[in-house]
Amino acid sequence: RITLPLTLAILPVLIVKSSGYPIALPLAVVREIIPIHTDDITEVTGNATMSVRDEVLPLIPLETLLGWEQAGNMRYGIVIHVGQQRMIIGIGEFVGRDDVVIKPVQGMKVRGIAGATLSGEGDVILIVDIEELLRDRARPLPIRELLQPNTIAA
């Protein structure tokens, strides 16, 4: 007999790496993935931007959204569309696409994290709530602590 929690959900995600940690972004907000070349980045009012299909979009490293120090080069941009906002999230590395089971983070609610899942190798993968992160980009996210073992409800 198998008992499943009522809150169990399966979500298609794009898995990337940020500062060496796997992070999952919901595919529902991803519009396209583009390469980032230094020559393509321009500055508009002090902010990094890129032009995609004749539209100038802000470019924000995933580490910045997470409140982490930027640890590597942005090699790819994920064009996202959330509500009326369109932007490019810069990442260094792709892991792949997957359908994951969302598990709650045990004993806490962390801003910007929808939940977590486990990879086939047993690594914790945090699932980012892009909408929540974009609402308040100024506050850092203390989520590295969530990447420790035993923080995911089984």
Side-chain angles (χ1 to χ4, degrees), residues 18-57:
S18 178
S19 297
Y21 295 107
I23 302 288
L25 304 169
L27 274 177
V29 299
V30 175
R31 293 297 166 248
E32 67 182 293
I33 300 164
I34 58 174
I36 293 179
H37 304 289
T38 307
D39 299 346
D40 298 334
I41 301 172
T42 57
E43 187 178 319
V44 176
T45 64
N47 298 310
T49 63
M50 286 182 64
S51 181
V52 177
R53 295 184 210 322
D54 297 325
E55 184 178 5
V56 176
L57 300 174

Short mmCIF file of all heavy atoms in Angstrom, two decimals, residues 18-57:
data_model
loop_
_atom_site.label_atom_id
_atom_site.label_comp_id
_atom_site.label_asym_id
_atom_site.label_seq_id
_atom_site.Cartn_x
_atom_site.Cartn_y
_atom_site.Cartn_z
N SER A 18 24.01 26.82 -10.01
CA SER A 18 24.33 28.16 -9.55
C SER A 18 25.33 28.01 -8.40
O SER A 18 25.02 27.34 -7.42
CB SER A 18 23.06 28.87 -9.07
OG SER A 18 23.36 30.14 -8.57
N SER A 19 26.50 28.57 -8.56
CA SER A 19 27.57 28.44 -7.56
C SER A 19 27.84 26.98 -7.23
O SER A 19 28.13 26.63 -6.09
CB SER A 19 27.21 29.21 -6.28
OG SER A 19 27.09 30.58 -6.55
N GLY A 20 27.69 26.12 -8.23
CA GLY A 20 27.96 24.70 -8.04
C GLY A 20 26.79 23.89 -7.50
O GLY A 20 26.87 22.68 -7.40
N TYR A 21 25.68 24.57 -7.14
CA TYR A 21 24.51 23.88 -6.60
C TYR A 21 23.43 23.73 -7.68
O TYR A 21 23.16 24.66 -8.42
CB TYR A 21 23.90 24.66 -5.43
CG TYR A 21 24.80 24.77 -4.24
CD1 TYR A 21 25.42 25.97 -3.92
CD2 TYR A 21 25.03 23.67 -3.42
CE1 TYR A 21 26.25 26.07 -2.81
CE2 TYR A 21 25.86 23.77 -2.30
CZ TYR A 21 26.47 24.97 -2.02
OH TYR A 21 27.28 25.07 -0.93
N PRO A 22 22.77 22.56 -7.74
CA PRO A 22 21.67 22.42 -8.70
C PRO A 22 20.44 23.20 -8.22
O PRO A 22 20.08 23.15 -7.05
CB PRO A 22 21.40 20.91 -8.73
CG PRO A 22 21.92 20.41 -7.42
CD PRO A 22 23.03 21.34 -6.99
N ILE A 23 19.82 23.92 -9.14
CA ILE A 23 18.63 24.73 -8.89
C ILE A 23 17.63 24.41 -10.00
O ILE A 23 18.00 24.33 -11.17
CB ILE A 23 18.96 26.24 -8.91
CG1 ILE A 23 20.04 26.60 -7.89
CG2 ILE A 23 17.71 27.08 -8.73
CD1 ILE A 23 19.59 26.56 -6.45
N ALA A 24 16.36 24.27 -9.64
CA ALA A 24 15.32 23.97 -10.64
C ALA A 24 14.45 25.21 -10.86
O ALA A 24 14.01 25.84 -9.91
CB ALA A 24 14.46 22.81 -10.17
N LEU A 25 14.23 25.54 -12.13
CA LEU A 25 13.35 26.64 -12.52
C LEU A 25 12.13 26.05 -13.21
O LEU A 25 12.27 25.23 -14.12
CB LEU A 25 14.07 27.59 -13.49
CG LEU A 25 15.40 28.18 -13.02
CD1 LEU A 25 16.10 28.86 -14.18
CD2 LEU A 25 15.16 29.15 -11.90
N PRO A 26 10.92 26.44 -12.80
CA PRO A 26 9.72 25.91 -13.45
C PRO A 26 9.70 26.24 -14.94
O PRO A 26 9.92 27.39 -15.33
CB PRO A 26 8.57 26.62 -12.72
CG PRO A 26 9.16 27.11 -11.44
CD PRO A 26 10.61 27.37 -11.72
N LEU A 27 9.44 25.24 -15.76
CA LEU A 27 9.41 25.45 -17.21
C LEU A 27 8.27 26.37 -17.63
O LEU A 27 8.32 26.96 -18.71
CB LEU A 27 9.30 24.12 -17.94
CG LEU A 27 10.62 23.42 -18.22
CD1 LEU A 27 10.37 22.07 -18.89
CD2 LEU A 27 11.55 24.25 -19.05
N ALA A 28 7.26 26.53 -16.80
CA ALA A 28 6.12 27.37 -17.15
C ALA A 28 6.52 28.82 -17.40
O ALA A 28 5.85 29.53 -18.14
CB ALA A 28 5.05 27.31 -16.06
N VAL A 29 7.62 29.28 -16.78
CA VAL A 29 8.04 30.67 -16.95
C VAL A 29 9.15 30.82 -17.99
O VAL A 29 9.48 31.94 -18.39
CB VAL A 29 8.48 31.32 -15.61
CG1 VAL A 29 7.35 31.33 -14.61
CG2 VAL A 29 9.71 30.65 -15.04
N VAL A 30 9.73 29.71 -18.44
CA VAL A 30 10.84 29.75 -19.40
C VAL A 30 10.30 29.90 -20.81
O VAL A 30 9.46 29.12 -21.26
CB VAL A 30 11.71 28.48 -19.29
CG1 VAL A 30 12.79 28.46 -20.36
CG2 VAL A 30 12.32 28.37 -17.90
N ARG A 31 10.78 30.93 -21.51
CA ARG A 31 10.35 31.15 -22.90
C ARG A 31 11.39 30.64 -23.89
O ARG A 31 11.07 30.07 -24.92
CB ARG A 31 10.08 32.64 -23.16
CG ARG A 31 8.90 33.15 -22.40
CD ARG A 31 7.61 32.43 -22.85
NE ARG A 31 6.52 32.67 -21.92
CZ ARG A 31 5.98 31.75 -21.14
NH1 ARG A 31 6.41 30.53 -21.16
NH2 ARG A 31 4.99 32.05 -20.33
N GLU A 32 12.67 30.88 -23.60
CA GLU A 32 13.73 30.38 -24.46
C GLU A 32 15.06 30.46 -23.74
O GLU A 32 15.18 31.11 -22.71
CB GLU A 32 13.79 31.13 -25.80
CG GLU A 32 14.20 32.57 -25.71
CD GLU A 32 14.20 33.25 -27.07
OE1 GLU A 32 15.03 32.88 -27.93
OE2 GLU A 32 13.36 34.13 -27.28
N ILE A 33 16.04 29.78 -24.30
CA ILE A 33 17.39 29.77 -23.75
C ILE A 33 18.31 30.30 -24.83
O ILE A 33 18.24 29.85 -25.98
CB ILE A 33 17.79 28.35 -23.33
CG1 ILE A 33 16.83 27.84 -22.26
CG2 ILE A 33 19.23 28.31 -22.83
CD1 ILE A 33 16.88 26.36 -22.04
N ILE A 34 19.14 31.28 -24.45
CA ILE A 34 20.02 31.91 -25.43
C ILE A 34 21.47 31.89 -24.92
O ILE A 34 21.70 31.89 -23.72
CB ILE A 34 19.59 33.37 -25.71
CG1 ILE A 34 19.57 34.19 -24.41
CG2 ILE A 34 18.22 33.40 -26.40
CD1 ILE A 34 19.30 35.67 -24.61
N PRO A 35 22.44 31.88 -25.84
CA PRO A 35 23.83 32.00 -25.40
C PRO A 35 24.11 33.45 -25.01
O PRO A 35 23.49 34.38 -25.55
CB PRO A 35 24.64 31.59 -26.63
CG PRO A 35 23.74 31.86 -27.78
CD PRO A 35 22.33 31.68 -27.28
N ILE A 36 25.01 33.64 -24.07
CA ILE A 36 25.41 35.00 -23.67
C ILE A 36 26.85 35.20 -24.09
O ILE A 36 27.73 34.43 -23.73
CB ILE A 36 25.28 35.22 -22.15
CG1 ILE A 36 23.81 35.18 -21.73
CG2 ILE A 36 25.91 36.55 -21.74
CD1 ILE A 36 23.60 35.36 -20.24
N HIS A 37 27.06 36.24 -24.89
CA HIS A 37 28.40 36.66 -25.30
C HIS A 37 28.63 38.06 -24.74
O HIS A 37 27.71 38.89 -24.74
CB HIS A 37 28.54 36.67 -26.81
CG HIS A 37 28.20 35.35 -27.45
ND1 HIS A 37 29.02 34.25 -27.34
CD2 HIS A 37 27.13 34.96 -28.17
CE1 HIS A 37 28.47 33.23 -27.97
NE2 HIS A 37 27.32 33.62 -28.49
N THR A 38 29.81 38.32 -24.27
CA THR A 38 30.13 39.61 -23.67
C THR A 38 29.75 40.77 -24.59
O THR A 38 29.25 41.80 -24.12
CB THR A 38 31.64 39.69 -23.34
OG1 THR A 38 31.98 38.53 -22.57
CG2 THR A 38 31.98 40.93 -22.55
N ASP A 39 29.94 40.60 -25.88
CA ASP A 39 29.62 41.67 -26.85
C ASP A 39 28.13 41.98 -26.90
O ASP A 39 27.74 43.05 -27.35
CB ASP A 39 30.09 41.28 -28.25
CG ASP A 39 31.59 41.06 -28.32
OD1 ASP A 39 32.29 41.47 -27.37
OD2 ASP A 39 32.06 40.47 -29.31
N ASP A 40 27.27 41.04 -26.49
CA ASP A 40 25.82 41.22 -26.56
C ASP A 40 25.26 41.99 -25.37
O ASP A 40 24.11 42.42 -25.39
CB ASP A 40 25.11 39.87 -26.63
CG ASP A 40 25.49 39.09 -27.88
OD1 ASP A 40 25.87 39.71 -28.89
OD2 ASP A 40 25.42 37.84 -27.83
N ILE A 41 26.05 42.14 -24.31
CA ILE A 41 25.57 42.80 -23.09
C ILE A 41 25.81 44.30 -23.19
O ILE A 41 26.91 44.74 -23.51
CB ILE A 41 26.28 42.24 -21.84
CG1 ILE A 41 26.03 40.74 -21.72
CG2 ILE A 41 25.82 42.96 -20.58
CD1 ILE A 41 26.84 40.05 -20.64
N THR A 42 24.75 45.07 -22.97
CA THR A 42 24.85 46.53 -22.98
C THR A 42 24.37 47.06 -21.63
O THR A 42 23.71 46.36 -20.87
CB THR A 42 24.00 47.15 -24.11
OG1 THR A 42 22.65 46.73 -23.96
CG2 THR A 42 24.51 46.72 -25.47
N GLU A 43 24.70 48.32 -21.38
CA GLU A 43 24.29 48.94 -20.13
C GLU A 43 23.22 49.98 -20.41
O GLU A 43 23.37 50.83 -21.27
CB GLU A 43 25.50 49.60 -19.46
CG GLU A 43 25.20 50.12 -18.09
CD GLU A 43 26.43 50.72 -17.44
OE1 GLU A 43 27.51 50.15 -17.57
OE2 GLU A 43 26.28 51.79 -16.80
N VAL A 44 22.11 49.88 -19.69
CA VAL A 44 21.03 50.86 -19.79
C VAL A 44 20.73 51.32 -18.36
O VAL A 44 20.38 50.50 -17.51
CB VAL A 44 19.77 50.25 -20.45
CG1 VAL A 44 18.62 51.25 -20.44
CG2 VAL A 44 20.07 49.78 -21.86
N THR A 45 20.89 52.60 -18.12
CA THR A 45 20.70 53.21 -16.79
C THR A 45 21.43 52.43 -15.70
O THR A 45 20.89 52.18 -14.63
CB THR A 45 19.22 53.38 -16.42
OG1 THR A 45 18.60 52.11 -16.32
CG2 THR A 45 18.48 54.24 -17.42
N GLY A 46 22.65 52.01 -16.00
CA GLY A 46 23.47 51.33 -15.01
C GLY A 46 23.19 49.86 -14.83
O GLY A 46 23.79 49.22 -13.98
N ASN A 47 22.28 49.30 -15.61
CA ASN A 47 21.92 47.88 -15.49
C ASN A 47 22.30 47.11 -16.75
O ASN A 47 22.18 47.64 -17.87
CB ASN A 47 20.42 47.73 -15.26
CG ASN A 47 19.98 48.37 -13.96
OD1 ASN A 47 20.57 48.13 -12.92
ND2 ASN A 47 18.97 49.21 -14.03
N ALA A 48 22.72 45.87 -16.57
CA ALA A 48 23.06 45.01 -17.71
C ALA A 48 21.78 44.62 -18.44
O ALA A 48 20.78 44.27 -17.82
CB ALA A 48 23.80 43.77 -17.23
N THR A 49 21.83 44.70 -19.76
CA THR A 49 20.69 44.32 -20.58
C THR A 49 21.18 43.57 -21.82
O THR A 49 22.36 43.61 -22.16
CB THR A 49 19.88 45.54 -21.07
OG1 THR A 49 20.71 46.35 -21.89
CG2 THR A 49 19.35 46.37 -19.91
N MET A 50 20.26 42.89 -22.47
CA MET A 50 20.53 42.25 -23.76
C MET A 50 19.32 42.47 -24.65
O MET A 50 18.19 42.57 -24.17
CB MET A 50 20.76 40.75 -23.60
CG MET A 50 22.12 40.39 -23.01
SD MET A 50 22.36 38.60 -22.89
CE MET A 50 22.34 38.10 -24.60
N SER A 51 19.57 42.49 -25.94
CA SER A 51 18.49 42.63 -26.90
C SER A 51 18.12 41.24 -27.43
O SER A 51 18.98 40.50 -27.90
CB SER A 51 18.93 43.53 -28.06
OG SER A 51 17.89 43.67 -28.98
N VAL A 52 16.84 40.90 -27.28
CA VAL A 52 16.33 39.62 -27.76
C VAL A 52 15.13 39.93 -28.65
O VAL A 52 14.13 40.48 -28.19
CB VAL A 52 15.91 38.70 -26.59
CG1 VAL A 52 15.31 37.41 -27.11
CG2 VAL A 52 17.09 38.43 -25.68
N ARG A 53 15.25 39.59 -29.92
CA ARG A 53 14.17 39.86 -30.90
C ARG A 53 13.70 41.31 -30.82
O ARG A 53 12.52 41.58 -30.69
CB ARG A 53 13.02 38.89 -30.68
CG ARG A 53 13.41 37.47 -30.96
CD ARG A 53 12.30 36.51 -30.86
NE ARG A 53 12.69 35.19 -30.46
CZ ARG A 53 13.79 34.51 -30.80
NH1 ARG A 53 14.66 35.07 -31.56
NH2 ARG A 53 14.03 33.31 -30.37
N ASP A 54 14.66 42.22 -30.88
CA ASP A 54 14.41 43.68 -30.88
C ASP A 54 13.77 44.18 -29.60
O ASP A 54 13.18 45.25 -29.58
CB ASP A 54 13.57 44.09 -32.10
CG ASP A 54 14.29 43.82 -33.40
OD1 ASP A 54 15.54 43.97 -33.42
OD2 ASP A 54 13.64 43.44 -34.39
N GLU A 55 13.85 43.44 -28.53
CA GLU A 55 13.35 43.89 -27.23
C GLU A 55 14.52 43.89 -26.25
O GLU A 55 15.24 42.91 -26.13
CB GLU A 55 12.25 42.95 -26.72
CG GLU A 55 11.63 43.40 -25.43
CD GLU A 55 10.51 42.48 -24.96
OE1 GLU A 55 10.28 41.42 -25.58
OE2 GLU A 55 9.89 42.81 -23.95
N VAL A 56 14.72 45.03 -25.58
CA VAL A 56 15.80 45.14 -24.61
C VAL A 56 15.29 44.61 -23.26
O VAL A 56 14.31 45.11 -22.72
CB VAL A 56 16.28 46.61 -24.47
CG1 VAL A 56 17.35 46.72 -23.39
CG2 VAL A 56 16.81 47.11 -25.81
N LEU A 57 15.97 43.58 -22.76
CA LEU A 57 15.55 42.92 -21.52
C LEU A 57 16.66 43.02 -20.48
O LEU A 57 17.84 42.90 -20.81
CB LEU A 57 15.24 41.44 -21.78
CG LEU A 57 14.13 41.14 -22.77
CD1 LEU A 57 14.03 39.64 -23.02
CD2 LEU A 57 12.81 41.67 -22.27
#
